[in-house]
Amino acid sequence: MTRTKVPPTGREATFSEDEIIVTKTDLKGRLTYANEVFLRVSALSREEALGQPHSIIRHPHMPRCVFKLLWETIEAKREIFAYVLNLAATGDHYWVFAHVTPSFDGAGRVVGYHSNRRKPDPERVARIVPLYRELLAEEQSLANRKEGLQRSTERLLAFLREKGMSFDEYMLTV
Ligand SMILES: Cc1cc2nc3c(=O)[nH]c(=O)nc-3n(C[C@H](O)[C@H](O)[C@H](O)COP(=O)(O)O)c2cc1C
C-alpha cells in the first residue's frame, strides 16, 4: 500500500547512536528488506515499505545530484558514503550517514543493493547543510529538470575539485 506523502513538519525523528538503519533493495531500488529501526524511524509498517521504491522516504530538500552520484557509483559496482536527509511518513525528518554497497552473487554479478546508516555527528551535518542547500538551489534555478540536474552535478564536481577530494573523501572528513 502506498501512502500519500506528508509535507515536512520540521520536527526531527530521533534514533540512538548505537542503532543502525538497514535496508536492502533490488536492482531498481525497490525495498526488499527493512530492519525494525528503519521501520520505526520512518514510521512505516513492513507491508507499506517492502516493494516500494526507496524514494518513499525522499526528502524534498535533498539535491538530486547526490542520488545521481549514488546510483552511478553503485551501478559501477563501487560503494559510496553519503549524508542523506530522509522524510518519515509522519513528515518528520532525520539525517543519516549512509554506506551504500552493491551485493554480488557468486559469479560477481550485482543482485541488489544494501544500505547501512548511522546517526551522524550534528556538527558534520551542519557543514553539509549549506552545500546541499546550494546544490538544490542550482537544481531549481532552471525550469528544465534535466538541465537543473546537470548544473547541480557540475557545481558538486567543481566543489570537490576545489577541495581536491573525491565525494567519499569529503563525506568521510567533513
Ligand atoms: C540501497 C539504497 C539505499 C537508498 N537509500 C535512500 C535513502 O535513505 N533516502 C533516499 O531518499 N533515497 C535513497 N536511495 C535512493 C533512491 O533510490 C532514489 O534515487 C532517491 O530517493 C531519489 O529519488 P528520485 O529519483 O525519485 O528523486 C537509496 C537507494 C539504494 C539503492
Side-chain angles (χ1 to χ4, degrees):
M1 190 178 68
T2 315
R3 276 205 209 177
T4 318
K5 276 211 167 183
V6 173
T9 58
R11 271 192 313 265
E12 195 179 351
T14 53
F15 61 106
S16 71
E17 272 162 24
D18 56 11
E19 289 185 304
I20 305 181
I21 297 179
V22 184
T23 55
K24 295 183 193 176
T25 75
D26 64 12
L27 293 172
K28 292 200 164 150
R30 282 183 302 240
L31 289 159
T32 54
Y33 172 83
N35 74 345
E36 292 295 337
V37 188
F38 174 86
L39 296 171
R40 192 191 77 231
V41 179
S42 308
L44 291 166
S45 67
R46 182 161 281 114
E47 293 70 37
E48 285 171 317
L50 297 188
Q52 293 302 316
H54 219 310
S55 54
I56 190 175
I57 54 159
R58 191 200 198 299
H59 194 289
H61 293 171
M62 273 300 290
R64 286 170 66 217
C65 61
V66 172
F67 295 121
K68 177 174 181 281
L69 189 68
L70 181 149
W71 274 102
E72 283 172 359
T73 306
I74 61 178
E75 284 179 341
K77 301 190 173 187
R78 288 183 278 117
E79 60 181 21
I80 187 166
F81 291 91
Y83 287 88
V84 181
L85 176 64
N86 282 327
L87 188 67
T90 52
D92 295 356
H93 64 267
Y94 60 96
W95 277 97
V96 296
F97 183 58
H99 180 210
V100 188
T101 61
S103 305
F104 301 96
D105 69 7
R109 284 180 299 244
V110 178
V111 290
Y113 302 106
H114 189 146
S115 179
N116 283 310
R117 312 159 180 91
R118 287 270 189 188
K119 190 178 174 66
D121 174 356
E123 285 183 15
R124 291 179 185 242
V125 170
R127 289 195 280 273
I128 290 290
V129 167
L131 171 65
Y132 282 10
R133 195 178 289 148
E134 187 194 331
L135 294 172
L136 186 70
E138 289 276 353
E139 233 156 71
Q140 294 178 340
S141 67
L142 295 172
N144 181 300
R145 261 169 74 87
K146 202 172 157 196
E147 286 171 13
L149 178 58
Q150 196 175 335
R151 179 174 294 185
S152 68
T153 302
E154 281 162 13
R155 180 70 201 103
L156 175 59
L157 296 178
F159 174 87
L160 294 170
R161 248 193 328 271
E162 278 162 33
K163 295 268 174 209
M165 288 185 193
S166 67
F167 183 77
D168 271 10
E169 277 170 339
Y170 186 68
M171 291 290 133
L172 287 163
T173 58
V174 62

